[in-house]
Amino acid sequence: MKENQISTGRFIDGKEIFAVELTNSLGSKVKIYNYGAIVSEFIVKNGHGEQQDVILGFNDIDGYLNEDYLAEYPYLGVIVGRYSNRIKDGKYSIDGKDYQMEQSLHGGVAGFDKKVWDILPTIDPSLTLQYISPAGEESFPGNLTVQLTFKLSDEDELILDYKAVTDAPTPINLTHHSYFNLNKNGGNVGDHHLRMPASNYLEQDANYVVTGKLIPVEGTIHDFLGGKKIGQDWDPKEGYDQSYVLDKPYGHLGLAAEATEASSGLKLEVYTTEPVAHFYTSKYLNTADSKDHKGYKPFEAFCVETQHYPNGINVSEFPTTILRPGETYAQTTIFKLSH
């Protein structure tokens, strides 16, 4: 694996935005910005020997900073934090103290996805980004130091290793929000085939907030245990926007999802140490621009957002999402392409 760091010439709050390219012996390439830890390209050979980009995004950093894009803002390819998904009413308590944050999706109005991260030196060809989130940012307590390391293996695995420490108890639930489409011509992902080893999904209220109840997938549209086309059972106007509890030991690296697309011959496998995968088929995706300048429409991508239980900080039965001083938050997620 090799790396190449390129200046974009853009600055935010005095910090320079760089693009970092990781390549491997197969000729594959991943491009990552230190703004929002955005993965903007993941180019591999498909089943026909053609180079194909499987990630939605823009040709350059300007696309991600465009006002029209930010007005719609689908979180294309970014890291999400301090807390991914939804916290009910933006309220939670730690050690008897109540906190109220502004109600929003994915960690606040200006979460980790809108920060310029520091690029740390590494010994091997990889990219390690660091962001220090000050106490009180988006109403979260504690100074939180987060490091995210990207590696591209010679087996076309994009490996994401997360670590975080804090000086005061704080909620944390990080994920990455890459949008995938394995068809080289893009379009609706309903024909992609998906398998998910998840026997239960998490009940959500009308605002997509997890209630704490687990529901068996058997006999529902959420049953992907044996694999099926994504569009086989969905409501074509709604798609999927649902969290699934993975059938693996807590904290162990295991399969979260496996997606294939017939025309390209590509297969995406997602592995994670996290207990939950949120599966989203981009109902709200709507951009005027894109890499091919045709824009993106709803249901033209899918996301597998590996994470802890959404709203877990308010559900005592779920594993804790509170990080305390002296502890280290750690998780690994792997996106593996093959044909």
Side-chain angles (χ1 to χ4, degrees):
M1 184 178 74
K2 296 181 180 179
E3 60 178 308
N4 181 32
Q5 184 171 314
I6 307 159
S7 174
T8 67
R10 297 294 299 268
F11 291 78
I12 294 180
D13 296 329
K15 299 184 72 173
E16 189 170 5
I17 301 176
F18 290 93
V20 178
E21 296 176 341
L22 304 177
T23 57
N24 66 14
S25 62
L26 302 176
S28 302
K29 183 178 81 169
V30 174
K31 185 166 79 171
I32 304 155
Y33 292 105
N34 66 323
Y35 171 75
I38 293 171
V39 176
S40 69
E41 291 180 0
F42 192 173
I43 299 173
V44 299
K45 286 183 181 177
N46 63 22
H48 308 288
E50 304 164 323
Q51 294 285 92
Q52 181 179 331
D53 191 352
V54 299
I55 293 278
L56 272 62
F58 301 106
N59 291 322
D60 54 45
I61 192 63
D62 292 344
Y64 298 96
L65 302 176
N66 181 276
E67 289 186 5
D68 291 337
Y69 165 72
L70 292 173
E72 296 286 343
Y73 201 49
Y75 295 86
L76 281 179
V78 299
I79 188 174
V80 176
R82 285 189 196 191
Y83 209 96
S84 62
N85 222 304
R86 297 162 175 87
I87 296 175
K88 185 172 176 60
D89 299 325
K91 298 178 180 179
Y92 60 90
S93 298
I94 300 178
D95 300 335
K97 183 176 181 179
D98 296 334
Y99 294 88
Q100 174 71 65
M101 59 180 292
E102 186 165 341
Q103 293 186 55
S104 61
L105 177 63
H106 290 328
V109 176
F112 293 177
D113 52 292
K114 290 190 174 73
K115 308 299 182 184
V116 180
W117 292 50
D118 296 320
I119 299 175
L120 300 186
T122 55
I123 297 173
D124 57 343
S126 61
L127 169 63
T128 296
L129 301 177
Q130 177 174 280
Y131 177 65
I132 300 175
S133 176
E137 183 174 71
E138 297 297 331
S139 301
F140 288 112
N143 296 293
L144 183 73
T145 300
V146 183
Q147 292 184 358
L148 174 55
T149 297
F150 296 89
K151 295 181 181 179
L152 178 62
S153 79
D154 286 329
E155 287 75 44
D156 280 344
E157 298 166 315
L158 179 58
I159 304 165
L160 280 62
D161 284 316
Y162 303 73
K163 284 187 170 39
V165 294
T166 183
D167 62 2
T170 189
I172 184 171
N173 188 20
L174 305 178
T175 192
H176 209 271
H177 210 297
S178 288
Y179 284 73
F180 290 92
N181 191 317
L182 305 182
N183 187 315
K184 69 175 184 178
N185 297 315
N188 190 290
V189 294
D191 282 341
H192 285 57
H193 189 274
L194 180 76
R195 181 171 69 88
M196 291 182 65
S199 298
N200 295 279
Y201 68 97
L202 295 174
E203 181 184 67
Q204 299 173 161
D205 65 19
N207 295 315
Y208 298 96
V209 178
V210 166
T211 66
K213 181 180 179 181
L214 274 66
I215 302 175
V217 300
E218 185 178 2
T220 74
I221 67 170
H222 299 290
D223 188 351
F224 289 96
L225 286 168
K228 64 182 178 183
K229 286 189 175 182
I230 291 173
Q232 176 177 309
D233 299 322
W234 72 0
D235 179 338
K237 294 182 179 179
E238 294 294 327
Y240 290 95
D241 193 352
Q242 192 71 51
S243 294
Y244 296 81
V245 180
L246 300 173
D247 295 338
K248 66 182 186 65
Y250 180 81
H252 287 219
L253 184 68
L255 184 70
E258 177 186 281
T260 57
E261 200 279 322
S263 68
S264 68
L266 282 172
K267 176 168 69 174
L268 169 68
E269 296 165 280
V270 183
Y271 296 89
T272 189
T273 56
E274 294 293 89
V276 168
H278 189 89
F279 180 57
Y280 174 54
T281 52
S282 60
K283 172 185 176 181
Y284 299 105
L285 180 62
N286 185 21
T287 70
D289 195 14
S290 64
K291 293 174 185 176
D292 60 8
H293 303 299
K294 295 179 181 177
Y296 296 124
K297 303 301 181 193
F299 311 112
E300 291 190 347
F302 66 91
C303 305
V304 180
E305 304 163 46
T306 56
Q307 59 193 266
H308 259 58
Y309 291 71
N311 197 37
I313 194 166
N314 288 317
V315 182
S316 60
E317 295 83 2
F318 288 166
T320 183
T321 53
I322 298 174
L323 181 68
R324 297 181 179 276
E327 300 175 342
T328 298
Y329 169 93
Q331 67 129 310
T332 297
T333 292
I334 300 172
F335 299 100
K336 176 179 174 60
L337 270 298
S338 60
H339 55 79

